[in-house]
Amino acid sequence: MIVDERLVTYINSLETGNTAILDRIEKEATETYVPIIRKEMQTFLKLLLAMKKPARILEVGTAVGFSAILMAEYGPADARITTIENYEKRIPIAEENFRRAGVSDRITMISGDAAEVLKTLQGPYDFIFMDAAKGQYIHFLPEILRLLAADGVLVSDNVLQDGDIIESKFAVTRRNRTIHRRMRDYLYALTHSGELVTAVLPVGDGITVSTKKNDTGSEG
Ligand code: SAH
Ligand code: MG
C-alpha cells in the first residue's frame, strides 16, 4: 500500500458504489483470485469517462471483464469498447459477464497476446486503459501511441509496484528486477515523450494518466 491505509479506507468510504451486477462480478472475482481494479481506480475511471466521454475505448487486459463493464456502464451510452485478453480460461467467463451485464453488443473481446493483437487494430481510440502484465507496457507503447487519438487519454494501472519502483534494482528480488527496470523505462518514456503530457499519480498502487498532444492546437 503506497498511500496510508486509513486514508484509503476513509476515501473509499465516500464512494457511493457501483451497479448491482458490477458488485456481484467484483465479489466473484475476489473469491476466485482474479485481479480487478481497486476502488480508487474505479472511481477515478468513472471521473475520467465523465470528463472525456470517449466514443471508442481500448482496454489491454480484460480478466473477467469487470473494468470493461464498468467503462460500458459509466462511459457514454453509445461508447464501443475493444478489450484484449490472452488467458484462455478467463475469456468465456468475461463473455458470460458481458452478457449478464447486458453490454455484449458494445464490447468486443479479442483473445490473444496484446503484443500481436495491437498491431492488427485500427485507431484512433479516444481512451485507452492499460491493465495487463506490467513488464509488457513498455513493449506495447509504440502501438498504443499509434492507436491513441489526438487529445486521447491513456491510463495505465499498477505502475508503482506497490512502492518498489523507488527501491534500487539491487533491493528488489531477481524475479521482479526485470519488471522494475521495464516499468521505470515505461514511466520515463511516458513522461519524456514529445507526443504526450503525463502525470504519475499515487492512486491505488500507482497510475499514470497521459494525453496525446494535438498538433493542430496551440503549442503546449
Ligand atoms: N482490467 C481488469 C483486470 C486485468 S488483470 C479488471 O479490472 O477487471 C490483467 C489481465 O491482463 C490478466 O487477465 C492477464 O491474463 C492479462 N494479460 C497479461 N498480459 C497480457 C498480454 N500480453 N496480452 C493480453 N492479455 C494479457
Ligand atoms: Mg491492474
Side-chain angles (χ1 to χ4, degrees):
M1 183 92 42
I2 59 176
V3 182
D4 178 77
E5 197 167 341
R6 290 178 60 221
L7 206 49
V8 172
T9 305
Y10 168 69
I11 293 169
N12 288 343
S13 78
L14 298 169
E15 245 303 302
T16 50
N18 296 323
T19 58
I21 183 68
L22 275 173
D23 285 345
R24 272 205 296 284
I25 293 168
E26 181 174 39
K27 186 162 173 287
E28 291 164 7
T30 308
E31 285 167 359
T32 51
Y33 307 102
V34 173
I36 56 166
I37 50 168
R38 301 180 191 199
K39 284 279 177 230
E40 305 93 285
M41 185 53 140
Q42 295 172 27
T43 309
F44 194 62
L45 274 184
K46 290 192 217 172
L47 167 71
L48 293 178
L49 292 166
M51 289 170 66
K52 177 68 185 160
K53 302 179 179 67
R56 294 190 75 210
I57 299 174
L58 173 65
E59 173 179 69
V60 186
T62 319
V64 295
F66 177 84
S67 54
I69 296 168
L70 179 132
M71 292 192 284
E73 292 196 343
Y74 292 95
D78 56 353
R80 318 285 310 185
I81 302 172
T82 300
T83 182
I84 308 170
E85 175 59 51
N86 69 348
Y87 189 4
E88 303 255 330
K89 236 177 75 182
R90 291 190 175 149
I91 289 160
I93 304 172
E95 297 275 16
E96 173 63 9
N97 286 338
F98 296 152
R99 198 194 53 74
R100 289 162 77 197
V103 293
S104 302
D105 55 333
R106 296 202 283 123
I107 301 181
T108 305
M109 183 162 51
I110 305 177
S111 59
D113 186 344
E116 298 307 316
V117 174
L118 288 170
K119 291 181 200 156
T120 70
L121 297 179
Q122 274 217 320
Y125 289 93
D126 311 301
F127 193 91
I128 302 182
F129 181 43
M130 182 90 99
D131 192 20
K134 296 187 275 284
Q136 302 297 315
Y137 290 8
I138 186 73
H139 303 313
F140 298 158
L141 190 57
E143 291 298 323
I144 293 292
L145 288 176
R146 177 182 66 84
L147 293 167
L148 189 62
D151 290 328
V153 173
L154 166 65
V155 178
S156 312
D157 197 17
N158 314 111
V159 298
L160 298 180
Q161 294 185 282
D162 238 342
D164 273 356
I165 196 85
I166 57 173
E167 304 300 340
S168 144
K169 69 178 177 192
F170 301 108
V172 297
T173 60
R174 186 169 286 280
R175 198 176 70 80
N176 284 327
R177 212 168 277 172
T178 307
I179 297 179
H180 182 267
R181 191 192 63 239
R182 289 182 182 171
M183 192 49 89
R184 282 195 176 189
D185 288 348
Y186 183 65
L187 293 176
Y188 190 90
L190 287 184
T191 49
H192 290 75
S193 160
E195 286 183 76
L196 299 173
V197 180
T198 296
V200 184
L201 304 171
V203 174
D205 71 338
I207 71 172
T208 56
V209 185
S210 310
T211 188
K212 193 171 179 177
K213 292 180 193 172
N214 189 339
D215 288 338
T216 62
S218 59
E219 191 45 37

